[in-house]
């Protein structure tokens, strides 16, 4: 009985009183619990007067209209369909609340949790938007200083690209200068989405001087802080493809962050065509015997010297399915190669000073190098 009397000595409002026991009966709201407790107290002692002001919540649950308008102004014209509410309360207030709840068995919930839930319901009922843990916009309400911060989830667009030029990297240089596949797609994407920045996630990459043909390479464009989340994808694709920059995109669709990891970790066989050159006329029989060595054959590749500054110095085992000769003319040969993803094709041919073993050069017996290289197909 003393605990019952003490419960109302904290001078809390009905809602904050009920929240002390939020986890005992989850079929009621905190306000309903508080009302039931106040009724019981009044039945025992004949009177109960709720405080005009509550030192804990300061009547915040009666100010949802104010916070809704603050959020509405912060969002402005940003396009979204789902949201998540977060909040910040005075740490000292949260600590005092925790002490009171611990006194009565630690069966309560914090004012922060209730506010997030109840304001979320209120916001959804007026805005027509849906709550989601993977929301388009996270709305953070600072109840201490009465301001709103928005965290806008990036927009992700999946597609495949082809590259028909030998002078363009996949991603932007550090200083952002020059064309790249990333910038040629991304700059147009900002026009359609109103985003702040962009990033290309590729399923592997080709060298600057290698063309990406065939069925194209999978990629996902990530757009930061988009104003528009739904735009005419076909129109965007046509604008990129008609730009005359030597790249084209297809198979576009909206996707999520999870797929970034999936395409980056995916492993596929890849088919290449390489023009190989030698300092002396190529002997067809010798080259034929050399390429036959690499049928379903595993090589060892130490990270190439040309990329060692950007990659860990490791030895990787890569399977070569075949190297087939398509043509030989004097000092040049055209070969088609099918290999496991991640194989360094130029080093498979030239050996990279013994860092790739065996190489086509070492088996052929003369130094060979790649004059030009194309990706013909990614076996998905």
């Amino acid at each position: 009985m003393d605990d019952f009397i003490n419960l109302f000595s904290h001078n809390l409002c009905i809602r904050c009183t009920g929240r002390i026991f939020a986890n005992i009966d989850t079929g009621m709201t905190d306000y309903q619990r508080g009302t039931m407790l106040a009724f019981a107290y009044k039945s025992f002692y004949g009177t109960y007067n709720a405080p005009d002001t509550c030192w804990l919540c300061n009547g915040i649950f009666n100010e949802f209209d104010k916070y809704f308008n603050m959020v509405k102004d912060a969002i402005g014209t940003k396009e979204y369909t789902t949201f998540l509410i977060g909040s910040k309360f005075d740490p000292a207030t949260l600590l005092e609340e925790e002490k009171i709840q611990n006194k009565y068995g630690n069966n309560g919930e914090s004012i922060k949790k209730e506010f997030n839930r109840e304001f979320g319901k209120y916001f959804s009922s007026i805005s027509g938007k849906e709550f989601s843990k993977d929301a388009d916009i996270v709305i953070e309400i600072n109840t201490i200083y009465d301001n709103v911060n928005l965290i806008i989830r990036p927009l992700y667009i999946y597609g495949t690209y082809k590259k028909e030029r030998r002078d363009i990297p996949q991603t932007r240089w550090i200083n952002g200068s020059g064309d790249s596949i990333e910038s040629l797609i991304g700059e147009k994407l900002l026009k359609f989405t109103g985003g702040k920045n962009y990033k290309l996630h590729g399923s592997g990459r080709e060298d600057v001087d290698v063309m990406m043909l065939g069925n194209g390479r999978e990629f996902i464009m990530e757009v930061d802080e988009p104003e528009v989340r739904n735009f005419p994808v076909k129109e965007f694709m046509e604008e990129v493809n008609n730009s005359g920059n030597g790249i084209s995109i297809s198979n576009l669709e909206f996707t999520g962050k999870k797929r970034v990891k999936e395409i980056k970790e995916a492993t596929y066989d890849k088919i290449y065509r390489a023009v190989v050159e030698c300092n002396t006329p190529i002997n067809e029989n010798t080259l034929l015997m050399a390429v036959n060595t690499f049928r379903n054959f595993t090589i060892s590749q130490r990270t190439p010297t040309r990329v060692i500054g950007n990659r860990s110095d490791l030895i990787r085992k890569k399977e070569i399915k075949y190297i087939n000769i398509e043509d030989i003319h004097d000092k040049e040969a055209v070969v088609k190669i099918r290999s496991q993803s991640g194989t360094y094709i130029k080093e498979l041919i030239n050996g990279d000073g013994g860092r790739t073993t065996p190489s086509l050069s070492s088996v052929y017996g003369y130094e060979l190098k790649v004059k030009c290289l194309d990706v013909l197909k990614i076996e998905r």
Side-chain angles (χ1 to χ4, degrees):
M1 188 62 69
D2 289 342
D3 283 347
F4 195 43
I5 296 173
N6 289 335
L7 175 63
F8 290 92
S9 70
H10 297 292
N11 206 32
L12 298 174
C13 67
I14 292 291
R15 183 186 292 274
C16 291
T17 300
R19 194 167 56 251
I20 296 173
F21 306 98
N23 294 318
I24 292 179
D25 184 353
T26 55
M28 303 173 67
T29 66
D30 291 335
Y31 187 82
Q32 289 171 334
R33 287 188 200 89
T35 300
M36 184 181 68
L37 289 168
F39 177 80
Y41 183 88
K42 186 176 181 180
S43 298
F44 274 108
Y45 299 103
T47 183
Y48 170 72
N49 295 313
D52 293 332
T53 58
C54 176
W55 63 268
L56 181 58
C57 71
N58 289 311
I60 196 171
F61 292 91
N62 297 320
E63 297 184 321
F64 282 179
D65 277 346
K66 178 185 78 173
Y67 287 113
F68 178 86
N69 289 325
M70 288 170 58
V71 172
K72 182 181 177 181
D73 290 343
I75 292 176
T77 60
K78 294 178 179 64
E79 190 175 273
Y80 70 107
T81 57
T82 56
F83 70 92
L84 180 65
I85 300 294
S87 60
K88 185 174 183 179
F89 284 78
D90 186 343
T93 300
L94 296 177
L95 182 60
E96 288 302 313
E97 180 184 45
E98 184 180 0
K99 289 178 181 178
I100 293 172
Q101 292 187 358
N102 288 341
K103 183 177 179 180
Y104 296 96
N106 194 24
N107 289 306
E109 67 175 350
S110 70
I111 185 174
K112 179 176 179 177
K113 183 176 180 180
E114 184 182 16
F115 178 85
N116 294 349
R117 180 182 65 250
E118 296 302 319
F119 181 70
K121 292 177 183 177
Y122 181 85
F123 186 83
S124 179
S125 68
I126 298 179
S127 67
K129 308 300 183 180
E130 295 183 359
F131 163 85
S132 173
K133 290 184 178 180
D134 186 26
D136 293 337
I137 292 183
V138 177
I139 302 164
E140 294 185 337
I141 299 174
N142 188 320
T143 67
I144 305 170
Y145 299 109
D146 268 357
N147 57 44
V148 173
N149 179 52
L150 300 179
I151 301 174
I152 303 172
R153 181 173 62 88
L155 182 64
Y156 298 91
I157 299 99
Y158 167 89
T160 55
Y161 73 78
K162 296 180 184 179
K163 182 184 78 164
E164 298 183 350
R165 51 190 287 190
R166 300 189 187 280
D167 63 344
I168 182 173
Q170 183 187 78
T171 54
R172 289 173 286 183
W173 302 111
I174 293 176
N175 63 9
S177 63
D179 283 346
S180 64
I181 296 171
E182 180 181 47
S183 63
L184 292 174
I185 299 173
E187 291 300 323
K188 291 191 177 350
L189 196 52
L190 293 187
K191 171 185 170 182
F192 279 81
T193 64
K196 296 292 181 63
N197 203 351
Y198 54 84
K199 182 177 182 179
L200 184 145
H201 304 278
S203 178
R205 64 171 63 225
E206 66 286 325
D207 290 339
V208 171
D209 60 347
V210 174
M211 292 202 294
M212 178 67 239
L213 307 174
N215 56 347
R217 187 182 298 279
E218 290 182 296
F219 73 94
I220 290 175
M221 290 298 300
E222 177 180 346
V223 184
D224 293 339
E225 300 186 40
E227 292 278 338
V228 177
R229 306 194 77 88
N230 293 286
F231 59 91
V233 172
K234 184 179 179 181
E235 184 180 332
F236 162 66
M237 180 179 69
E238 289 175 349
E239 187 160 326
V240 173
N241 293 349
N242 295 333
S243 63
N245 287 314
I247 66 167
S248 61
I249 57 177
S250 58
N251 306 314
L252 298 187
E253 62 184 37
F254 296 107
T255 188
K257 184 178 181 178
K258 181 180 178 182
R259 201 168 181 185
V260 173
K261 183 178 180 182
E262 290 174 354
I263 72 161
K264 291 180 83 69
E265 293 182 352
T267 56
Y268 307 110
D269 279 3
K270 297 178 183 178
I271 299 175
Y272 302 83
R273 177 179 288 122
V275 177
V276 177
E277 57 184 1
C278 185
N279 290 329
T280 59
I282 292 176
N283 183 292
E284 182 175 354
N285 290 332
T286 304
L287 183 62
L288 182 60
M289 287 188 292
V291 299
N292 285 338
T293 300
F294 293 90
R295 190 163 298 276
N296 297 318
F297 187 82
T298 299
I299 64 171
S300 295
Q301 286 200 309
R302 189 171 179 181
T303 303
T305 52
R306 63 188 172 92
V307 298
I308 194 63
N310 301 318
R311 308 276 177 89
S312 299
D313 191 5
L314 303 173
I315 296 176
R316 303 170 177 86
K317 301 289 186 179
K318 296 295 178 181
E319 184 179 6
I320 311 302
K321 299 298 176 62
Y322 61 74
I323 303 178
N324 293 335
I325 300 172
E326 291 194 332
D327 186 37
I328 296 176
H329 181 72
D330 196 22
K331 297 179 182 181
E332 292 184 354
V334 179
V335 297
K336 183 182 287 187
I337 303 164
R338 177 167 179 164
S339 68
Q340 183 181 351
S341 61
T343 304
Y344 293 102
I345 299 300
K346 293 175 181 177
E347 285 69 26
L348 166 65
I349 302 300
N350 63 41
D352 194 24
R355 293 175 76 90
T356 290
T357 57
S359 66
L360 187 58
S361 288
S362 66
V363 178
Y364 178 66
Y366 291 88
E367 182 179 351
L368 303 170
K369 62 180 180 179
V370 174
K371 181 178 181 180
C372 60
L373 179 66
D374 300 325
V375 183
L376 298 182
K377 188 177 183 181
I378 298 177
E379 296 285 1
R380 293 191 283 273

